[in-house]
Amino acid sequence: MSSSNGMNYAPQGKPRPVVTQGEFIFAAMSLDHGHIYGMCNGLREAGGTLKWVYDPDPAKVEVFCRTYPEVQVAFSQEQILQDNEVMLVAAAAVTNERGPLGVKVMQHGKHYFTDKAPFTTLDQLADAKKTAAETAKKYSVYYSERLHVESAEFAGQLIKDGAIGRVLQVIGLGPHRLNAHMRPDWFFKKEQYGGILCDIGSHQIEQFLYYAGCKDATVQHSKVANYNNKQYPELEDYGDANLIGDNGATNYFRVDWFTPDGLSTWGDGRTMILGTNGYIELRKYVDIARSNTGDHLFLVNGEGEHKIEVKDQVGFPYFGALILDILNGTDLAMPQEHTFKAAELCLEAQRQAIRVE
């Protein structure tokens, strides 16, 4: 998968199985976004067995089968949902279809793993929360800019170990390359993609809650714009927001579709985390003009200045933890309350956003 196109960016790690072959069986469906490949890579590397794939578009299925030749092609969603061996369904549907699909999957007795953003309306969120509680099934979300980035994972470990003290502020920068000619029609329709703060803003809010240890937060201000893509009137190519967490930590993030063609990857994603005793900066995907590889972590605290290269050192533990949560009935990989709160706040940021030009 090309690193120049974020829609098809699918990280691969070293196999770190937590189960044996056939112990955890999952299926894939709704292949509308390329993130389905990163989701499946993570689950397979953790030992999951990919049994089925389904999508109404044969061309998407053909590409998927070339990537995962062991998979069987289902003739309908129902064939997968009726298979008692399947424990989890991974899906990357059109954004406004993700919530209803998740409800259907959970009602069929299976756990659900969806690409972000998980919802486009608060009603969809309410339905999913209700169904998850009734069925005791997980509604998991692929917040990939933390879960599938080794430097982001290691930053969380450093914070838990007290490396920078209490977290006071998180600043997130999430630029993306538009590649408009490669995008499907739904990407440009507000009802279907939900808006920029709902979509790629969801990564930033999830990271803030996680790094700052917040259970809740308040959106203080948010805004969106379509500065430079008037040929797509429903597209928002810029958004930002300020939040205050329930523990006093603050957050500012900016997301946009303005990555220039000269950058070696799809976006110069960065995160800055300020603590009482130091700070961390993540240059996730590139260190511009110095290195076109990712996962550069900078730590400054009372012990000095440190640059830590974590690529291929940390792995992606979320996927194995998710599998073990499902098998053991635990809630450790990402607590369900946290998953839903991040979704709620990105919807709220989108709802109250001021549009500027």
Side-chain angles (χ1 to χ4, degrees):
M1 296 296 174
S2 171
S3 64
S4 66
N5 181 6
M7 188 165 181
N8 292 322
Y9 184 62
Q12 289 182 295
K14 298 176 181 177
R16 297 187 180 185
V18 298
V19 290
T20 58
Q21 180 71 19
E23 190 177 353
F24 181 85
I25 294 175
F26 73 99
M29 64 173 63
S30 298
L31 312 179
D32 296 286
H33 197 293
H35 283 170
I36 190 65
Y37 291 93
M39 297 160 70
C40 289
N41 288 347
L43 291 170
R44 290 171 77 250
E45 288 158 10
T49 300
L50 175 59
K51 182 175 181 181
W52 295 108
V53 62
Y54 173 73
D55 190 278
D57 182 349
K60 290 188 178 74
V61 173
E62 181 181 356
V63 174
F64 190 88
C65 290
R66 287 203 299 267
T67 306
Y68 308 111
E70 78 275 17
V71 74
Q72 301 176 57
V73 178
F75 56 77
S76 67
Q77 279 188 359
E78 285 65 33
Q79 185 176 8
I80 292 173
L81 296 176
Q82 297 296 333
D83 185 343
N84 292 330
E85 284 191 337
V86 173
M87 299 178 185
L88 175 142
V89 172
V94 175
T95 314
N96 68 333
E97 298 173 3
R98 291 170 186 170
L101 177 59
V103 168
K104 183 177 182 180
V105 168
M106 291 186 292
Q107 287 175 339
H108 280 79
K110 304 185 187 310
H111 302 273
Y112 183 57
F113 184 31
T114 180
D115 188 18
K116 65 76 214 161
F119 312 102
T120 55
T121 70
L122 289 167
D123 286 343
Q124 291 176 356
L125 170 62
D127 288 344
K129 291 174 75 171
K130 179 174 180 289
T131 306
E134 290 173 347
T135 62
K137 299 301 177 184
K138 290 189 180 300
Y139 192 107
S140 303
V141 179
Y142 183 55
Y143 292 116
S144 58
E145 290 187 25
R146 180 173 69 84
L147 303 178
H148 232 157
V149 176
E150 288 184 285
S151 58
E153 176 63 32
F154 191 59
Q157 296 176 23
L158 287 172
I159 291 167
K160 288 178 181 177
D161 290 342
I164 60 170
R166 173 190 170 191
V167 172
L168 305 177
Q169 185 193 43
V170 178
I171 297 175
L173 303 177
H176 287 60
R177 179 171 285 131
L178 183 58
N179 281 326
H181 65 287
M182 301 174 65
R183 301 285 176 174
D185 290 343
W186 62 263
F187 178 85
F188 301 99
K189 297 178 180 177
K190 182 76 173 289
E191 182 181 357
Q192 291 183 281
Y193 80 90
I196 194 170
L197 299 178
C198 170
D199 180 20
I200 53 179
S202 63
H203 290 298
Q204 303 299 328
I205 291 177
E206 190 279 327
Q207 289 175 99
F208 166 58
L209 295 178
Y210 178 76
Y211 290 136
C214 302
K215 299 293 185 184
D216 201 354
T218 303
V219 179
Q220 297 295 301
H221 175 77
S222 56
K223 61 182 178 288
V224 297
N226 183 350
Y227 284 125
N228 199 45
N229 291 276
K230 306 300 184 184
Q231 69 274 36
Y232 305 111
E234 295 185 47
L235 177 70
E236 296 166 352
D237 58 21
Y238 177 92
D240 65 22
N242 293 87
L243 290 81
I244 299 178
D246 56 0
N247 59 5
T250 66
N251 175 228
Y252 170 79
F253 72 84
R254 185 202 79 217
V255 287
D256 65 74
W257 292 102
F258 287 110
T259 293
D261 290 343
L263 190 72
S264 58
T265 188
W266 55 268
D268 185 9
R270 300 196 185 197
T271 304
M272 282 70 78
I273 308 162
L274 174 66
T276 53
N277 299 326
Y279 61 91
I280 293 169
E281 180 184 348
L282 308 179
R283 300 179 189 177
K284 293 182 176 179
Y285 308 112
V286 64
D287 190 10
I288 55 171
R290 288 189 287 193
S291 171
N292 62 5
T293 62
D295 287 309
H296 305 274
L297 185 150
F298 299 85
L299 167 66
V300 182
N301 61 10
E303 299 176 7
E305 304 172 3
H306 313 274
K307 182 180 181 182
I308 306 171
E309 303 289 353
V310 297
K311 189 172 181 61
D312 296 327
Q313 302 299 313
V314 179
F316 309 114
Y318 168 79
F319 301 93
L322 175 61
I323 288 173
L324 293 177
D325 275 347
I326 290 171
L327 293 177
N328 299 331
T330 51
D331 194 28
L332 303 175
M334 181 184 291
Q336 187 68 81
E337 181 182 1
H338 174 95
T339 303
F340 284 144
K341 180 56 66 174
E344 176 189 337
L345 289 170
C346 75
L347 291 168
E348 180 57 30
Q350 187 71 53
R351 185 193 67 79
Q352 69 179 54
I354 298 169
R355 187 175 178 98
V356 296
E357 298 296 338

